């Protein structure tokens, strides 16, 4: 069974007016997540889904697939539409706003999930951060 990584990306979101293009070290959240996704083993393809032409340019730079979606499409409808498009496949959703889940953790998670695929049809991976992160004296993961 094929496994695809889906990265939903927006230029603006509830977290920032720069959305997934918010600077993250020497790149931005989206580029960071694409770089992580390209380190995941046994993946058929990495697909970034967005209504943004700027985000589409980034996908070309990293040679990953781009899925255009309507800007008014809800995340639930996006999940539904892509699950219909990639029937009989595993879809691994990686959000740029979760930069601390490393490729190593994702690979271990995916291996366990695939070994137990007859027991489960879906799974979720999260990582709780009990720390407060700042960049140039600006909070990254909380509001003051």
């Amino acid at each position: 069974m094929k496994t695809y990584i889906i990265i939903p990306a927006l230029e603006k979101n509830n977290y920032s007016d720069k959305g997934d293009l918010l600077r993250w070290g020497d790149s931005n959240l989206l580029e960071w997540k694409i770089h992580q996704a390209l380190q995941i083993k046994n993946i058929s393809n990495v697909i970034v889904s967005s209504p943004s032409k700027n985000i589409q340019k980034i996908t070309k730079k990293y040679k990953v697939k781009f899925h255009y979606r309507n800007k008014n499409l809800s995340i639930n409808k996006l999940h539904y539409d892509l699950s219909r498009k990639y029937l009989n496949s595993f879809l691994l959703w990686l959000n740029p706003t979760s930069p601390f889940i490393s490729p190593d953790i994702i690979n271990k998670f995916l291996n366990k999930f695939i070994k137990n695929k007859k027991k489960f049809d879906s799974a979720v991976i999260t990582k709780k951060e009990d720390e407060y992160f700042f960049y140039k004296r600006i909070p990254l993961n909380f509001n003051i």
Side-chain angles (χ1 to χ4, degrees), residues 19-68:
D20 299 315
L21 301 181
L22 181 70
R23 297 300 310 157
W24 185 258
D26 294 335
S27 63
N28 60 50
L29 288 170
L30 175 60
E31 290 175 317
W32 181 266
K33 190 52 65 179
I34 291 171
H35 178 72
Q36 287 179 321
L38 291 172
Q39 295 177 59
I40 307 304
K41 297 174 183 153
N42 304 314
I43 296 297
S44 302
N45 223 322
V46 175
I47 303 159
V48 176
S49 178
S50 180
S52 165
K53 297 279 186 199
N54 290 329
I55 288 174
Q56 184 177 22
K57 289 177 190 173
I58 292 170
T59 64
K60 287 180 182 177
K61 175 182 171 183
Y62 287 93
K63 298 178 182 161
V64 297
K65 287 182 83 173
F66 180 77
H67 169 263
Y68 176 80

Side-chain angles (χ1 to χ4, degrees), residues 76-123:
N76 290 340
K77 182 76 167 100
L78 176 63
H79 285 188
Y80 178 79
D81 289 352
L82 288 177
S83 68
R84 302 286 296 162
K85 182 172 183 170
Y86 297 101
L87 283 173
N88 302 315
S89 300
F90 291 124
L91 302 181
L92 177 60
W93 293 82
L94 297 181
N95 293 308
T97 52
S98 297
F100 298 112
I101 300 175
S102 72
D104 184 51
I105 291 171
I106 296 166
N107 278 315
K108 287 176 184 175
F109 166 82
L110 197 54
N111 286 337
K112 283 188 178 189
F113 177 76
I114 289 171
K115 284 179 185 175
N116 292 291
K117 66 185 177 187
K118 291 184 179 178
K119 293 182 185 177
F120 306 104
D121 66 353
S122 60

